[in-house]
Amino acid sequence: MPGPLAYSVVAAAGFITWRVAVNRRRRRFLDSYAFPPAIDRRLAAKRPQLTDDQRELVLRALRDWFWMCARAGRRRMISMPSRVVDDAWHEFILFTRIYQNFCRNALGRFLHHTPAEAMSTPTSAQNGIKRAWRLACARDQINPKTPLGLPLIFAIDGMLGVEDGFVYAIDCGDKSSATYGSGYCASHIGCGGGCAGDSGSDSGGDGGCGGDGGCGGGCGGD
């Protein structure tokens, strides 16, 4: 008869298989989810300068944000890198029951909102924004160490000319850049010990720094 160790191995394998299946089901739900039209209407009222196509892009970036939070898991804080996406997230939360149902199906937990937070200075990135950078790069298939472009959620405030938005530049030393002399340097995010990128697994982790990088606002924890 199989011993206790064999039973433990089988149980562990079964749990991993179940966890992978759950995460895949949640991601399918998130990928196919249609945000309530009322979110778009409320966002239009808050940011009237945005066109229909631009608001659609914001909701696409909001989907990216939830994907990033799912990958980060419960214990890893990630910072929100966009003002306008944060606006959309806040409007979504106001539809309490719909938002609760979404969180349960997409994340398996309720995702609390905290204020948007960018880098503390143009050249000083805290753990939360570093982790957001790695995850956003993984989402958009960008090399986080040597990016040729910005992930959507990092680019969108600048793309849309969002008032009070967070504007990032690939190279803040590039005098030909429209963001030269202002905004945040993407080249300073996630470098030195934490540019490993996403693990690509279905485990729900971000494949980068461990522990609770509780700096800045965003998602993480319960």
Side-chain angles (χ1 to χ4, degrees):
M1 293 181 62
L5 179 60
Y7 282 120
S8 296
V9 170
V10 170
F15 175 79
I16 292 172
T17 300
W18 170 81
R19 183 65 180 271
V20 168
V22 167
N23 285 336
R24 286 178 176 169
R25 184 175 68 248
R26 288 172 180 167
R27 287 173 192 170
R28 286 196 298 268
F29 175 85
L30 176 57
D31 288 342
S32 63
Y33 185 77
F35 291 108
I39 297 177
D40 179 70
R41 293 195 296 270
R42 295 181 68 96
L43 184 60
K46 186 175 183 65
R47 300 279 185 179
Q49 74 276 16
L50 298 180
T51 67
D52 292 351
D53 288 344
Q54 288 174 330
R55 293 195 308 276
E56 184 177 345
L57 193 64
V58 173
L59 293 180
R60 175 182 155 193
L62 179 61
R63 192 185 308 275
D64 290 349
W65 170 248
F66 288 124
W67 183 93
M68 291 159 61
C69 290
R71 294 297 296 230
R74 292 176 180 269
R75 298 184 180 278
R76 292 182 173 89
M77 169 68 74
I78 66 172
S79 297
M80 167 60 80
S82 164
R83 290 281 194 193
V84 71
V85 176
D86 189 65
D87 287 344
W89 182 18
H90 182 265
E91 296 301 337
F92 190 12
I93 289 175
L94 296 179
F95 299 92
T96 309
R97 291 186 180 180
I98 295 174
Y99 182 72
Q100 287 176 335
N101 182 68
F102 168 83
C103 287
R104 183 174 61 252
N105 285 284
L107 304 169
R109 70 188 192 279
F110 186 86
L111 189 64
H112 291 279
H113 177 273
T114 54
E117 183 76 19
M119 294 164 63
S120 55
T121 71
T123 59
S124 179
Q126 72 271 27
N127 288 341
I129 203 73
K130 289 180 180 180
R131 190 168 291 117
W133 173 256
R134 287 196 306 275
L135 290 163
C137 285
R139 176 70 164 172
D140 288 354
Q141 299 182 325
I142 293 172
N143 186 323
K145 290 184 179 180
T146 56
L148 299 179
L150 293 170
L152 175 61
I153 198 168
F154 277 83
I156 194 165
D157 284 7
M159 288 169 57
L160 303 185
V162 174
E163 184 180 359
D164 75 355
F166 299 139
V167 179
Y168 304 86
I170 292 292
D171 180 5
C172 291
D174 180 5
K175 294 185 178 181
S176 66
S177 171
T179 55
Y180 177 73
S182 64
Y184 301 107
C185 293
S187 57
H188 291 278
I189 306 175
C191 297
C195 290
D198 193 85
S199 64
S201 71
D202 283 302
S203 63
D206 72 338
C209 299
D212 293 329
C215 302
C219 67
D222 294 321

